[in-house]
Amino acid sequence: MFEKSAEELKALGADITTTEIAQQPGLWEDTLEIYKANKDVIEAFLAEARAMAGSGRLTVVFTGAGTSDYVGDTCSPYLRRAGNTDAYDFKPIATTDIVSAPLDFLRAKDPTLLVSFARSGNSPESLAAVDVARKVCDNIKFLNITCAPEGHLAVRSADDPDALTLLIPRANDKGFAMTGSYSCMTLLATLIFDEASDEQKAAWVKTISEMGAEVINREDEIAAFLDGGYNRVTYLGSGSFGGLAQETQLKILELAHGLVATSFDTSMGYRHGPKSFVDDKTLVFVFVNNDAYTRQYDLDILHEIDGDGIAEKTIAVQQAGETQFERESFTFGGYDEMPEGYLALPFVMVGQVVSLLNSVKVGNTPDTPSPTGTVNRVVKGVTIHPFEA
């Protein structure tokens, strides 16, 4: 796909999505520069937010809907290890949960920073979550990470003294599926709250950008995973890669318009019933963690499913290390060991390429995958009901 001409891609209905997947390594470098350019403003804003909690911890709610929700699911586990957990309590909560059942998910007495992830900032839930959270929480501030300067979330927050909006405009995907918007919002949130030095962060971004470029150059290897007669795909992972598994299965579902069945779970959780999904027409992908302890569980499920012989293919997505899956895999070699919060980005590109190739294989058009228009780039048909705390 990445070597086809613009005309060939347009004929497949895939020119936008293909371009947006391929440009991500450069967007990650852009995102690092956005973080560096805004660092002083970010730190001043976070200091004000932390002051609401006094000597206690500030509740940091990562929120969004769909893929934007999975941003928080991906970065939160890593930040609970690598962030300042004396100052922050990181919690991913979907906007759809905040809006539909706010008192189940927010506490009035918890000083809260609501971090809203939004590609366009125009979905009804993005705006309603801010309004509802403001009514529920006694002390709250808002950090918006969005890709659309003209979006309602960014525009409406411009004059709010309790809000800071950070923009990643080049990541505002024009295609149906969120690709660069997901990876860039994940990266920016991770850069903001990771306690590592700026020098270390820059080194990690440089490495993942090289890995991302490698994914594009190794498209043929990914295409080979899809050679057979599969009709099901599942993704598994642990820690941050549990959220990543959910995002990558959604890409299959979205771009193929449901023509290929999908599932996701954690590596350990899959045995507790969901493994029933696997049959001889199933591709099982497992994102392998670099943490030595956690990695054991990812390898266990790979060896178990492969040994059972129940799947068409069992495939590891991994970075080369002392222990790794020695059978079918997409393996990154020759790089320093990467922490999961950053490794998730080149890993998601592997999943995005799988979804792109699968969409074309089943005869769908990746740029406009919903032929009836019942599923839209920006959610429609949502009624926001009045709420009073």
Side-chain angles (χ1 to χ4, degrees), residues 270-320:
Y270 205 54
R271 295 182 182 88
H272 294 264
K275 187 182 171 186
S276 303
F277 178 83
V278 180
D279 62 14
D280 62 1
K281 297 295 184 183
T282 306
L283 303 182
V284 177
F285 291 90
V286 180
F287 297 114
V288 180
N289 205 295
N290 273 345
D291 178 83
Y293 178 77
T294 303
R295 190 180 189 93
Q296 298 172 100
Y297 294 101
D298 299 325
L299 295 174
D300 284 350
I301 196 66
L302 279 160
H303 289 130
E304 179 177 316
I305 295 176
D306 184 60
D308 288 344
I310 56 175
E312 180 169 312
K313 294 181 182 179
T314 308
I315 304 155
V317 181
Q318 62 189 356
Q319 188 175 3

Side-chain angles (χ1 to χ4, degrees), residues 230-235 248-254 256-264 270 277-279 281-285 354 358 362:
Y230 69 94
N231 57 23
R232 297 183 175 200
V233 178
T234 195
Y235 283 98
T248 45
Q249 73 84 33
L250 178 63
K251 288 287 113 30
I252 288 278
L253 189 65
E254 287 180 325
H257 194 57
L259 295 175
V260 173
T262 63
S263 73
F264 72 94
Y270 205 54
F277 178 83
V278 180
D279 62 14
K281 297 295 184 183
T282 306
L283 303 182
V284 177
F285 291 90
V354 169
N358 174 73
V362 301

Side-chain angles (χ1 to χ4, degrees), residues 176-238:
F176 177 88
M178 291 177 63
T179 53
S181 52
Y182 165 83
S183 62
C184 289
M185 290 192 294
T186 300
L187 177 58
L188 185 52
T190 301
L191 291 170
I192 289 170
F193 290 103
D194 192 344
E195 287 286 275
S197 69
D198 284 352
E199 292 75 17
Q200 180 64 80
K201 293 173 185 176
W204 285 335
V205 171
K206 181 177 185 295
T207 298
I208 61 173
S209 297
E210 293 171 358
M211 287 177 158
E214 184 176 329
V215 172
I216 302 305
N217 292 332
R218 294 170 61 188
E219 177 189 351
D220 288 349
E221 292 179 45
I222 300 174
F225 298 148
L226 311 184
D227 281 345
Y230 69 94
N231 57 23
R232 297 183 175 200
V233 178
T234 195
Y235 283 98
L236 306 175
S238 305

Side-chain angles (χ1 to χ4, degrees), residues 146-198:
T146 181
C147 304
E150 75 286 355
H152 293 319
L153 182 66
V155 171
R156 202 176 73 169
S157 301
D159 298 321
D160 185 347
D162 291 321
L164 173 65
T165 297
L166 300 174
L167 297 166
I168 319 173
R170 286 190 61 223
N172 188 12
D173 310 304
K174 300 300 184 287
F176 177 88
M178 291 177 63
T179 53
S181 52
Y182 165 83
S183 62
C184 289
M185 290 192 294
T186 300
L187 177 58
L188 185 52
T190 301
L191 291 170
I192 289 170
F193 290 103
D194 192 344
E195 287 286 275
S197 69
D198 284 352

Side-chain angles (χ1 to χ4, degrees), residues 84-96:
N84 183 353
T85 52
D86 290 332
Y88 301 117
D89 181 15
F90 299 105
K91 296 181 178 180
I93 305 173
T95 55
T96 47

